[in-house]
C-alpha cells in the first residue's frame, strides 16, 4: 500500500532532518486550478455513467433476447418453407403441374411426328379418302401440340412464380432476423462503449485520487498504545512487549493496520535500525513470529467493531554491539474502509528508552511512557543538547521557543528521533490515500 511507503519515508526524513519535514507541509494544500474544476463539471459523473451502463446493459439484454427469439422463428420459417408452408405447398403443386404440362407437350409433339410419318408413308395408290384422313390427323396433332405448348408455358410461369414467392419469403425472413441481429450488435457496441467510458472515468478518478490524495484528520477514536516496554534495555537482550489498538468510536473500522518503528541513537546520532535492533510481531491469527517489513507496517489486523480492540505481540532484540545511548519507538494505527471512504490514522505515540551497554545491569526499570507530538500551532519539540544534562533548551533549527523533553537521559540524538513525531503529530493533517476493497491489500 502506498500509504505505508509514504509514512515510512516521512518518518525516515524526520529522523534524519526534522526541519525539512515542516517545510513540506504546505504541499498538502489544495492547489487544483479553477479551470480543472470547470472541466470536471462538464464531464458526466461516475454515477451518471453507471446509470448509462445499466441502461445500455438492459437494452442489450432485450436486444439479445429478441435476436434469440428471431433466430428460433427464422429456423422454423425456413423449415416450413421447405415443406408445409402454404407457399411451399403451392410451389410444389405448380412445379408438378409444369412437369405434367411438359410431359403432355412432349406427347403432343410426338403425335405430330407420328401423324406426319403416316402421311408420308401412304402408298402411291392411296385413295383420296386415305390422304385426307392422314392430313387431318397431322392438322389435329399439330393443334394439340400447340395447345400443349401453351399450357406448358403457363404451367412453367406459375411454377416460377410460386418458387420465387418461396424464395422471397426466405429472404424476407432472413432480413427480418438480420435487423434484430444488427440491433443486438449495436446494443452490444453501445454497452461496451458505456462500460469503457465508465472504466475510463473510474481510472481517471483513481489517478486524480492518487495525485491529490484525501485529507484525513488524525483519528482520535482510534488509539495505539504500547505496554510492557521497559524504559531501560541492555544490548544483547530480547524484550517482549505488546501493542494494543482500540476502536473507541461508535462505528465499524473495516481494516486495521499498525505502524511500529524503533530507532537506536547514540552521541553520533541516529543509527540504522536494522543494524542494531530486530523487531518482530505476532498476533492471535498469525502466531508465528514475523519481522516487520522495511516500512515497519503490520498488516491484516482485521476489522474492529465499536469499542473493541486487537493486540499485537512485539519482540525487540538488541544486538550486543548496540552502543549505549538512547532508543525511541514510534507506534500508530491506521484504518481504511472497503467502500473506499477515507479512514484515519491515530496520533503518533513516541516511547523513549535508555540503551545500556552489553553486560551491564539495567537497574530499576519502569514501563516507557508515551509522549505525543504537539498539535499544530503549539510549538515544536526541543531536547537537551548532545551530552548535556542541564536541561537547557536548545534550538533544533526549525525556529521558535521549544519545550524540553523531560527525559533525564535525553541527548541531542533524541531530538532527531523526535522529528518523526513532529512530522506525524504536528503536521496539519495526515495524507491518506483512499483505498478500495481488495485493491489495497
Amino acid at each position: 500500500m502506498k500509504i505505508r511507503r509514504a509514512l515510512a519515508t516521512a518518518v525516515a526524513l524526520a529522523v534524519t532532518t526534522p526541519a525539512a519535514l515542516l517545510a513540506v507541509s504546505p504541499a498538502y494544500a489544495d492547489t487544483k486550478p479553477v479551470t480543472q474544476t470547470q472541466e470536471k463539471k462538464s464531464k458526466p459523473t461516475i454515477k451518471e455513467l453507471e446509470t448509462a451502463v445499466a441502461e445500455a446493459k438492459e437494452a442489450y439484454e432485450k436486444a439479445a433476447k429478441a435476436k434469440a427469439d428471431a433466430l428460433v422463428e427464422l429456423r422454423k420459417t425456413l423449415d416450413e418453407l421447405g415443406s408445409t408452408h402454404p407457399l411451399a405447398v403451392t410451389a410444389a403443386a405448380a412445379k408438378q403441374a409444369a412437369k405434367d404440362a411438359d410431359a403432355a407437350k412432349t406427347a403432343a409433339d410426338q403425335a405430330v411426328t407420328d401423324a406426319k410419318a403416316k402421311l408420308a408413308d401412304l402408298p402411291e395408290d392411296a385413295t383420296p379418302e386415305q390422304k385426307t384422313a392422314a392430313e387431318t390427323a397431322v392438322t389435329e396433332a399439330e393443334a394439340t401440340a400447340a395447345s400443349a405448348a401453351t399450357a406448358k408455358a403457363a404451367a412453367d410461369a406459375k411454377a416460377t412464380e410460386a418458387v420465387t414467392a418461396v424464395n422471397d419469403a426466405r429472404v424476407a425472413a432472413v432480413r427480418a432476423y438480420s435487423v434484430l441481429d444488427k440491433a443486438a450488435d449495436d446494443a452490444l457496441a453501445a454497452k461496451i462503449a458505456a462500460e469503457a467510458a465508465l472504466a475510463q472515468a473510474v481510472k481517471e478518478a483513481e489517478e486524480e485520487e492518487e495525485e491529490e490524495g484525501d485529507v484525513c484528520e488524525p483519528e482520535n477514536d482510534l488509539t495505539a498504545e504500547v505496554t510492557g516496554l521497559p524504559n531501560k534495555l541492555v544490548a544483547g537482550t530480547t524484550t517482549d512487549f505488546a501493542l494494543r489498538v482500540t476502536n473507541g468510536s461508535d462505528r465499524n473500522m473495516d481494516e486495521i493496520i499498525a505502524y511500529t518503528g524503533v530507532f537506536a541513537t547514540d552521541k553520533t546520532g541516529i543509527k540504522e535500525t536494522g543494524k542494531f535492533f530486530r523487531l518482530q510481531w505476532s498476533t492471535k491469527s498469525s502466531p508465528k513470529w514475523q519481522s516487520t517489513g522495511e516500512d515497519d507496517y503490520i498488516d491484516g489486523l482485521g476489522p474492529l467493531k465499536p469499542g473493541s480492540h486487537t493486540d499485537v505481540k512485539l519482540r525487540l532484540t538488541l544486538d550486543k554491539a548496540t552502543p549505549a545511548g538512547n532508543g525511541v519507538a514510534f507506534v500508530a494505527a491506521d484504518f481504511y474502509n472497503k467502500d473506499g471512504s477515507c479512514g484515519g490514522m491515530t496520533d503518533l505515540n513516541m516511547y523513549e528508552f535508555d540503551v545500556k551497554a552489553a553486560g551491564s545491569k539495567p537497574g530499576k526499570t519502569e514501563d516507557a511512557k508515551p509522549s505525543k507530538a504537539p498539535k499544530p500551532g503549539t510549538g515544536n519539540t526541543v531536547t537537551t543538547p548532545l551530552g548535556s544534562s542541564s536541561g537547557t533548551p536548545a534550538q533544533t533549527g526549525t525556529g521558535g521557543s521549544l519545550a524540553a523533553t523531560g527525559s533525564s537521559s535525553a541527548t541531542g540524538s533524541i531530538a532527531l528521533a523526535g522529528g518523526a513525531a513532529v512530522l506525524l503529530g504536528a503536521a496539519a493533517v495526515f495524507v491518506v490515500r483512499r483505498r478500495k476493497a481488495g485493491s489495497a491489500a
Side-chain angles (χ1 to χ4, degrees):
M1 292 168 52
K2 294 186 179 180
I3 178 60
R4 301 182 190 173
R5 295 195 180 277
L7 179 57
T9 301
V11 171
L13 175 64
V15 167
T16 54
T17 54
L21 68 93
L22 292 181
V24 303
S25 60
Y28 297 144
D30 185 5
T31 58
K32 184 167 54 181
V34 175
T35 55
Q36 182 179 355
T37 302
Q38 292 172 344
E39 180 183 354
K40 285 183 178 179
K41 288 182 178 178
S42 64
K43 296 179 180 179
T45 65
I46 289 180
K47 184 176 181 180
E48 290 171 340
L49 291 173
E50 288 174 339
T51 300
V53 167
E55 292 175 350
K57 181 180 179 182
E58 182 181 2
Y60 169 67
E61 289 174 350
K62 290 181 178 178
K65 185 178 185 305
K67 174 184 174 181
D69 293 342
L71 181 58
V72 172
E73 187 64 27
L74 172 63
R75 289 172 176 170
K76 177 183 177 183
T77 299
L78 293 178
D79 183 62
E80 290 177 349
L81 285 172
S83 57
T84 61
H85 194 280
L87 292 177
V89 173
T90 299
K95 286 191 288 186
Q96 183 60 49
K99 183 178 179 181
D100 294 342
D102 182 67
K105 180 180 179 299
T106 299
D109 290 341
Q110 185 60 47
V112 171
T113 300
D114 293 343
K116 288 181 178 180
K118 288 182 179 180
L119 177 61
D121 290 340
L122 287 176
E124 294 180 1
D125 58 350
T127 67
E129 291 80 4
Q130 290 177 324
K131 289 180 180 181
T132 299
E135 290 171 352
T136 300
V138 169
T139 299
E140 292 175 351
E142 287 176 342
T144 300
S147 177
T150 300
K152 179 182 181 304
D156 287 344
K158 288 184 178 181
T160 300
E161 182 181 354
V163 170
T164 300
V166 171
N167 291 335
D168 288 346
R170 287 195 178 99
V171 171
V174 172
R175 285 178 177 173
Y177 169 75
S178 67
V179 170
L180 296 176
D181 182 37
K182 186 178 184 303
D185 289 344
D186 291 345
L188 176 59
K191 172 177 171 290
I192 292 173
E195 290 171 341
L198 174 60
Q200 181 64 25
V202 170
K203 179 181 177 183
E204 290 176 357
E206 289 176 347
E207 288 174 351
E208 290 176 1
E209 193 174 88
E210 286 293 320
E211 292 174 0
E212 299 173 4
D214 292 311
V215 178
C216 295
E217 295 291 344
E219 178 54 66
N220 295 326
D221 292 331
L222 181 67
T223 59
E225 298 178 329
V226 163
T227 58
L229 176 64
N231 61 351
K232 299 176 184 178
L233 297 176
V234 177
T237 63
T238 296
T239 300
D240 289 346
F241 57 107
L243 170 66
R244 170 164 290 187
V245 180
T246 303
N247 177 7
S249 73
D250 58 359
R251 63 188 183 280
N252 287 320
M253 296 182 179
D254 291 343
E255 187 62 44
I256 303 296
I257 303 170
Y259 167 80
T260 59
V262 185
F263 300 88
T265 70
D266 65 8
K267 293 182 179 181
T268 63
I270 296 295
K271 299 300 179 182
E272 297 179 19
T273 303
K275 184 176 181 181
F276 297 109
F277 290 170
R278 182 189 181 198
L279 184 63
Q280 296 174 289
W281 64 274
S282 72
T283 62
K284 185 176 181 180
S285 60
S286 300
K288 185 177 179 180
W289 286 105
Q290 304 179 54
S291 296
T292 56
E294 61 179 7
D295 52 13
D296 298 325
Y297 263 87
I298 301 174
D299 272 335
L301 299 185
L304 277 183
K305 295 181 179 180
S308 64
H309 66 264
T310 185
D311 293 321
V312 181
K313 295 180 180 179
L314 297 172
R315 174 172 290 176
L316 177 61
T317 300
L318 279 63
D319 189 89
K320 287 184 178 181
T322 305
N326 299 95
V328 61
F330 297 105
V331 297
D334 186 16
F335 80 94
Y336 64 91
N337 296 318
K338 293 180 179 179
D339 62 2
S341 60
C342 188
M345 181 175 291
T346 65
D347 287 325
L348 192 75
N349 282 334
M350 181 175 69
Y351 296 79
E352 299 178 47
F353 54 88
D354 293 338
V355 177
K356 305 294 184 181
S360 62
K361 300 295 183 181
K364 184 178 179 180
T365 64
E366 299 176 354
D367 283 355
K369 304 299 182 184
S371 58
K372 294 183 179 180
K375 296 297 181 183
T378 60
N380 297 332
T381 303
V382 77
T383 59
T384 308
L386 182 65
S388 171
S389 59
S390 67
T392 303
Q395 298 294 330
T396 64
T398 61
S401 176
L402 311 176
T405 60
S407 170
S408 60
S409 61
T411 66
S413 56
I414 287 296
L416 298 178
V422 176
L423 171 65
L424 298 175
V429 289
F430 291 102
V431 177
V432 181
R433 299 293 187 192
R434 216 180 262 278
R435 288 144 297 188
K436 296 191 180 291
S439 64

